[in-house]
Amino acid sequence: MLRTPILKSLHPLSVAPMMDRTDRHCRYFLRQISRRTLLYTEMVTSMAILHGDKYKLLGFARSEHPLALQIGGDNPRDLAECAQIAADFGYDEVNLNVGCPSSRVQNGNFGACLMLQPERVAECIAAMIDATKIPVTIKHRIGVDEVDSYEDLVKFVSIVSQTGCQRFSIHARKAWLQGLSPKENREIPPLRYEDVHRLKQEFPHLSIEINGGFSNLEQVQTQLQIVDAVMIGRAIYDNPYLLANVDREIYGEDTLPPSRDRIVTNMLSYIEEWTSKGLKLNSITRHMLQLFHGQPGSRIWKRIITERSVLPGAGAEVVAQALAEIQD
């Protein structure tokens, strides 16, 4: 693997926003593995931000930086207000979701269906840029339904980039708005990396990030010779220790990867803090189940964490006991 640092982008690697995955506890855990990787929140709708419990929805620990808030919505005024709220909370970036194909999201007229309305997307992005000084970015697909030619993609990026938006995170699959579940939309439409690569050639002034199907750092290094950044999602959730070498291999830092044992130990005080406030232990430990993926003791670790984290009063001692069991 190459060991030279990649300097083409401030954030050459990111962990994708994932619903029911990348909450604050997941992000805190991932941050124990990599200090530099850009992390995203789950998608939060603009209506939830404007009318819900902002601290509960948007709160995070300082150690989670660099951190981007992903928002779903289609109203420029509302999104502008949300962008300002994101800046006030201290987020490093705010990202507009134009890639989620779920029917619930479509019913709200945001997510992937907005690719059919590039002018509307541009209005939203422009309003967000005007409202805040932090970077406003966008995550989208290469196309939707029958509007999926390379020329359609170029048109979309051309219109949106005229707002001043500089970073485009592109899932290299099209989305089918009908007939496929969100999970199927992550797997069935074929990957078209070549479209994203070609887009970078035609828009060299933009930061182009590619997403879809990547599962190791060798693939990331290969992509970084062509585009500016790579986003990985489920592969990291299913094997979070993939991040262990990122700071050294991708960012060029002279650091050793943290051991799995050290990562668990670093989580104990965090777990104690939150469970003392009444949070159920499994709200945190569910994100840690795959830390020992592929290692001896992985099955024991998962069994203990799964069975004991749901017990009344369960706290950090459960995680410490699980670690002790697999160290013996």
Side-chain angles (χ1 to χ4, degrees):
M1 181 183 293
L2 297 175
R3 290 183 178 271
T4 53
I6 302 299
L7 302 177
K8 296 168 66 177
S9 171
L10 179 63
H11 301 301
L13 184 70
S14 69
V15 176
M18 291 177 279
M19 295 301 294
D20 197 39
R21 298 287 190 276
T22 51
D23 63 19
R24 64 181 302 167
H25 308 303
C26 175
R27 300 190 307 261
Y28 187 92
F29 166 60
L30 294 179
R31 191 55 78 210
Q32 308 311 307
I33 309 174
S34 168
R35 295 190 310 107
R36 299 290 300 274
T37 302
L38 177 64
L39 302 180
Y40 281 83
T41 67
E42 302 171 88
M43 181 189 69
V44 187
T45 68
S46 58
M47 289 295 96
I49 293 172
L50 295 178
H51 304 292
D53 183 336
K54 292 180 179 56
Y55 179 77
K56 183 176 181 180
L57 290 168
L58 304 180
F60 62 89
R62 288 185 179 181
S63 62
E64 292 175 43
H65 289 294
L67 179 61
L69 170 65
Q70 188 183 67
I71 302 176
D74 74 331
N75 183 293
R77 184 187 305 172
D78 291 344
L79 289 167
E81 186 174 348
C82 290
Q84 184 58 61
I85 291 171
D88 292 342
F89 263 78
Y91 283 91
D92 299 293
E93 295 184 8
V94 58
N95 177 271
L96 183 64
N97 183 314
V98 189
C100 181
S102 79
S103 57
R104 180 179 63 84
V105 165
Q106 290 180 53
N107 291 337
N109 194 42
F110 58 95
C113 65
L114 279 179
M115 286 200 72
L116 300 174
Q117 306 171 59
E119 292 81 7
R120 182 69 167 181
V121 174
E123 290 177 19
C124 292
I125 293 289
M128 295 168 74
I129 290 174
D130 288 344
T132 181
K133 293 182 179 180
I134 64 174
V136 176
T137 65
I138 184 170
K139 185 175 188 294
H140 59 94
R141 296 280 185 139
I142 56 173
V144 293
D145 294 343
E146 302 302 333
V147 185
D148 70 332
S149 70
Y150 177 72
E151 290 71 26
D152 292 322
L153 177 60
V154 167
K155 177 183 176 182
F156 179 84
V157 172
S158 296
I159 291 172
V160 175
S161 64
Q162 290 174 18
T163 65
C165 182
Q166 291 290 306
R167 184 180 176 93
F168 290 73
S169 298
I170 306 170
H171 189 156
R173 287 185 174 93
K174 66 180 289 183
W176 285 105
L177 298 180
Q178 303 293 331
L180 294 182
S181 68
K183 181 179 186 297
E184 290 170 332
N185 260 304
R186 294 192 299 269
E187 300 171 350
I188 292 178
L191 286 160
R192 287 161 41 188
Y193 294 149
E194 65 278 6
D195 284 5
V196 183
H197 297 166
R198 184 177 171 188
L199 193 73
K200 176 58 189 177
Q201 293 178 340
E202 294 200 28
F203 295 87
H205 60 291
L206 298 179
S207 179
I208 302 296
E209 180 174 50
I210 193 167
N211 170 229
F214 302 114
S215 60
N216 60 62
L217 294 191
E218 288 80 4
Q219 294 169 336
V220 171
Q221 290 278 22
T222 298
Q223 290 297 318
L224 288 176
Q225 308 310 310
I226 307 170
V227 295
D228 300 293
V230 179
M231 175 181 282
I232 305 180
R234 263 94 187 149
I236 285 177
Y237 196 84
D238 293 340
N239 184 12
Y241 203 68
L242 282 174
L243 288 175
N245 287 300
V246 164
D247 294 353
R248 182 178 59 176
E249 302 289 356
I250 304 300
Y251 290 90
E253 291 192 352
D254 186 17
T255 56
L256 293 175
S259 69
R260 291 176 174 84
D261 291 4
R262 172 55 56 184
I263 292 165
V264 174
T265 301
N266 288 346
M267 288 296 297
L268 295 179
S269 60
Y270 180 84
I271 291 170
E272 288 177 355
E273 176 187 355
W274 278 94
T275 54
S276 70
K277 298 176 182 177
L279 184 74
K280 292 183 178 180
L281 177 60
N282 67 336
S283 295
I284 301 174
T285 54
R286 69 189 183 96
H287 303 302
M288 301 172 61
L289 288 175
Q290 298 296 330
L291 177 59
F292 292 90
H293 175 83
Q295 300 298 303
S298 176
R299 184 173 298 178
I300 297 173
W301 166 263
K302 287 190 286 187
R303 177 179 56 78
I304 294 174
I305 295 295
T306 300
E307 293 177 355
R308 301 182 189 175
S309 289
V310 296
L311 298 176
E317 72 283 350
V318 169
V319 179
Q321 291 165 3
L323 181 60
E325 286 282 343
I326 64 175
Q327 287 175 330
D328 290 342

